[in-house]
Amino acid sequence: MPLLNEEAPALPMDAQGILELAARSMFQLFSSVSQGMFLVDRSGRIVWVNEGYQRFLPALGFSSVDQFVGRTVEEVIPNTQMRRVLETGQPVLIDLLTNKAGTFVVSRIPLRDEAERGIGAIGIVLFDHPETTLQPLIGKFALLQRDLDDARRELASQRSRSLAVSGDGQRRAKYTFASFVGSSPAASEVKRQARRAAQSSSPVLLLGETGTGKELLAHAIHAASSRASGPFVSVNIAAVPDTLLEAEFFGVAPGAYTGADRKGRDGKFKLADGGTLFLDEIGDMPQSLQAKLLRALQEGEIEPLGSNKLVPFNVRVVAATSRDLGALVREGRFREDLFYRLHVLPVRVPPLRERRSDIPALVEVLGEDLALRNGTAPPELQADAMALLAGQPWRGNIRELRNVLEQAAMRSDSQSIDAYQLENILREAGVEPAAPVPHAVSEPRALGDECYLRPLAEQVAELEQRAIAAALKAHGGNKQATARQLGISRATLYGRLENPD
């Protein structure tokens, strides 16, 4: 009787042989179980299609494989992103492709030679008619999407309330780092610095213009710190009269002066014990109080007004200012020793004009918040309106942007808002609108044949962006209608808007 190992085929013993076997097996598997496959060479020309893919050819306008093979992929497959895979060398494992042949779930995988040089790519149709074949998955996704929408509405509702007060009277932070909207390099960097600051117990100094989100970051730092379960207490120094600031900070002993509460009154340092004290507009603090604040921070104890008793506290201080503290120190209007005490972990919050690419996301979030507050549908900005917003200097930053959006939403008879409406609002506020900055690729610089003497992929991408901008404008910024007219999915449209290159 022959031994089992004499009958079974042996696996390759070397790594290269195993890799070749695996690649061959995976190719055969995908070719048999997928709905269709095709290969393109380095230049993007179709070189092979399997039998499964051939059934899509009539819907694409081809009666035979010979008409299909040998042509560039953009010519024969509308809306394909295969060119991007060839240029970047990065796979797209799951994507939705919609064209006149239907809607498909596809994968695009680059092919490389032994020297890791790109030699082509393979396109795989995993599912056709995903609305039926993937119905269980789509149903689960729809349920998750509804839950996410409910959570967003609840978060927006929480943001609209005052600081939540717990049963023991302690006030908590109401924002996290997720509340700081933006994925631009400037926004990502400030969130990175703030997250690192949250892991420390040292004072944090938030620097930046008014309306940039300093208070939001102060909440987020507290929420991400080891003190998150403790109180978050804030004081806007600019909003408290100088004569009341000392009592506001350190509290008042019982009967300290005529008319004082017989039970006394705790100051902000005491209220924030075990948590975080946020000192907003620290640059406006009167010099008479700066020395007392410095001593409190150094010694960890305060002396309430009218008392001879020292009260210890455990507070992490986060300060913020829109003023140039360094200049105030040089002018003698801010104590140098207090400056160094606070300037341990400085975090500069960038103005909106340094992160213009975040404006569409901010507009969407602010619009949803306005809609929830007012019980209306969120405003839809046309492409020219978004381009106008991107070009403004925004002296008031996000606070000013919100004001402009709210005015536009309240004045408009429809959800759609165009650039003309925004220009009027800006002018009424005494601001001459700056030139718009379109997100779409600009027009060719020349009208002659020389403007076409560029890589074809670049020209195709440029035309695609102009088509998207035109469709958005025609549909008043409605992305669902835009995607439907262009014959692409909304996910694909969002991908083009976020990554126009």
Side-chain angles (χ1 to χ4, degrees):
M1 180 177 179
L3 295 176
L4 182 62
N5 60 3
E6 291 179 349
E7 293 181 344
L11 284 172
M13 300 303 295
D14 61 300
Q16 184 61 34
I18 292 175
L19 287 174
E20 292 176 355
L21 174 63
R24 187 164 57 251
S25 300
M26 290 297 292
F27 187 88
Q28 293 170 349
L29 174 65
F30 275 120
S31 183
S32 61
V33 303
S34 69
Q35 300 300 312
M37 292 173 56
F38 67 90
L39 291 175
V40 298
D41 62 16
R42 186 181 307 175
S43 66
R45 293 191 178 278
I46 305 285
V47 296
W48 173 83
V49 295
N50 73 345
E51 186 176 349
Y53 198 90
Q54 293 178 25
R55 63 192 178 94
F56 302 125
L57 298 188
L60 293 172
F62 300 96
S63 58
S64 68
V65 176
D66 293 337
Q67 294 177 337
F68 190 78
V69 173
R71 303 178 69 171
T72 60
V73 67
E74 292 89 356
E75 289 183 88
V76 295
I77 305 177
N79 303 325
T80 181
Q81 289 300 298
M82 188 64 77
R83 179 71 60 180
R84 183 173 297 179
V85 174
L86 291 170
E87 292 175 349
T88 65
Q90 299 299 315
V92 178
L93 298 181
I94 297 291
D95 193 17
L96 280 175
L97 172 67
T98 299
N99 54 38
K100 54 189 176 182
T103 298
F104 310 95
V105 179
V106 302
S107 288
R108 308 180 186 99
I109 302 172
L111 300 174
R112 300 182 178 90
D113 61 12
E114 295 81 358
E116 290 298 313
R117 294 172 300 187
I119 57 174
I122 181 171
I124 307 171
V125 179
L126 299 174
F127 302 100
D128 58 349
H129 304 294
E131 66 276 7
T132 55
T133 56
L134 298 181
Q135 186 55 47
L137 182 62
I138 292 173
K140 290 182 179 180
F141 176 80
L143 182 60
L144 289 172
Q145 188 64 46
R146 285 196 296 271
D147 291 342
L148 178 60
D149 290 340
D150 290 342
R152 283 174 172 168
R153 282 192 289 271
E154 177 60 26
L155 285 172
S157 177
Q158 290 179 10
R159 289 200 301 266
S160 67
R161 301 177 195 143
S162 58
L163 283 171
V165 181
S166 65
D168 58 3
Q170 291 182 333
R171 290 176 284 187
R172 310 292 183 184
K174 61 176 179 177
Y175 300 114
T176 66
F177 286 115
S179 306
F180 193 90
V181 178
S183 57
S184 65
S188 300
E189 176 61 17
V190 73
K191 284 190 279 190
R192 183 191 69 81
Q193 293 181 14
R195 284 193 181 95
R196 290 190 62 184
Q199 307 309 310
S200 169
S201 59
S202 299
V204 178
L205 181 59
L206 300 172
L207 305 167
E209 299 175 6
T210 179
T212 52
K214 298 187 293 297
E215 183 173 358
L216 187 152
L217 280 176
H219 282 263
I221 289 171
H222 171 76
S225 73
S226 59
R227 297 173 176 264
S229 59
F232 178 88
V233 179
S234 62
V235 184
N236 189 324
I237 296 172
V240 181
D242 293 356
T243 54
L244 299 180
L245 267 177
E246 184 173 356
E248 189 76 9
F249 274 119
F250 307 126
V252 180
Y257 51 83
T258 303
D261 195 325
R262 293 181 180 180
K263 296 181 181 180
R265 180 172 178 270
D266 289 334
K268 299 301 186 190
F269 272 95
K270 183 63 178 176
L271 292 175
D273 192 35
T276 300
L277 178 61
F278 175 49
L279 304 178
D280 199 7
E281 299 299 346
I282 189 71
D284 292 341
M285 173 169 281
Q287 290 181 288
S288 59
L289 195 58
Q290 292 177 21
K292 294 184 178 180
L293 175 61
L294 175 64
R295 185 186 183 283
L297 295 178
Q298 288 178 334
E299 304 299 330
E301 55 189 20
I302 56 174
E303 186 176 336
L305 196 65
S307 172
N308 294 321
K309 183 180 179 181
L310 294 175
V311 179
F313 67 88
N314 176 20
V315 165
R316 197 268 179 90
V317 172
V318 177
T321 182
S322 58
R323 306 182 69 178
D324 186 345
L325 281 190
L328 294 178
V329 169
R330 291 189 295 272
E331 295 168 5
R333 298 163 59 189
F334 197 88
R335 291 182 63 102
E336 188 173 12
D337 44 8
L338 178 58
F339 172 76
Y340 289 125
R341 180 67 184 171
L342 296 172
H343 198 267
V344 178
L345 292 172
V347 177
R348 178 182 175 272
V349 187
L352 188 53
R353 59 184 172 275
E354 292 184 9
R355 53 189 196 103
R356 298 179 192 273
S357 60
D358 292 331
I359 288 180
L362 285 166
V363 167
E364 185 170 353
V365 171
L366 293 173
E368 288 179 357
D369 188 54
L370 290 173
L372 287 169
R373 286 174 181 265
N374 300 319
T376 59
E380 288 278 355
L381 269 68
Q382 295 186 16
D384 61 348
M386 195 70 76
L388 181 70
L389 294 181
Q392 304 313 303
W394 298 116
R395 294 174 301 175
N397 294 291
I398 299 171
R399 189 178 291 118
E400 183 185 3
L401 174 62
R402 181 190 180 89
N403 176 267
V404 170
L405 284 176
E406 188 164 12
Q407 287 194 59
M410 293 299 100
R411 296 184 186 188
S412 178
D413 294 328
S414 66
Q415 287 179 251
S416 180
I417 297 172
D418 59 22
Y420 179 74
Q421 294 169 279
L422 297 181
E423 287 175 350
N424 289 336
I425 292 172
L426 289 170
R427 288 194 175 97
E428 289 177 11
V431 177
E432 184 59 31
V437 178
H439 293 290
V441 181
S442 59
E443 298 286 336
R445 288 170 292 184
L447 297 178
D449 290 344
E450 62 271 15
C451 72
Y452 300 109
L453 302 179
R454 294 175 291 149
L456 183 59
E458 179 183 325
Q459 297 184 59
V460 170
E462 181 178 294
L463 181 60
E464 180 181 86
Q465 289 302 309
R466 289 162 58 189
I468 290 174
L472 280 169
K473 183 175 181 180
H475 292 287
N478 188 310
K479 299 180 179 64
Q480 184 172 0
T482 297
R484 188 183 302 115
Q485 173 158 19
L486 294 175
I488 59 177
S489 67
R490 279 206 297 173
T492 301
L493 175 62
Y494 284 125
R496 301 292 194 280
L497 293 173
E498 293 175 4
N499 301 293
D501 295 334

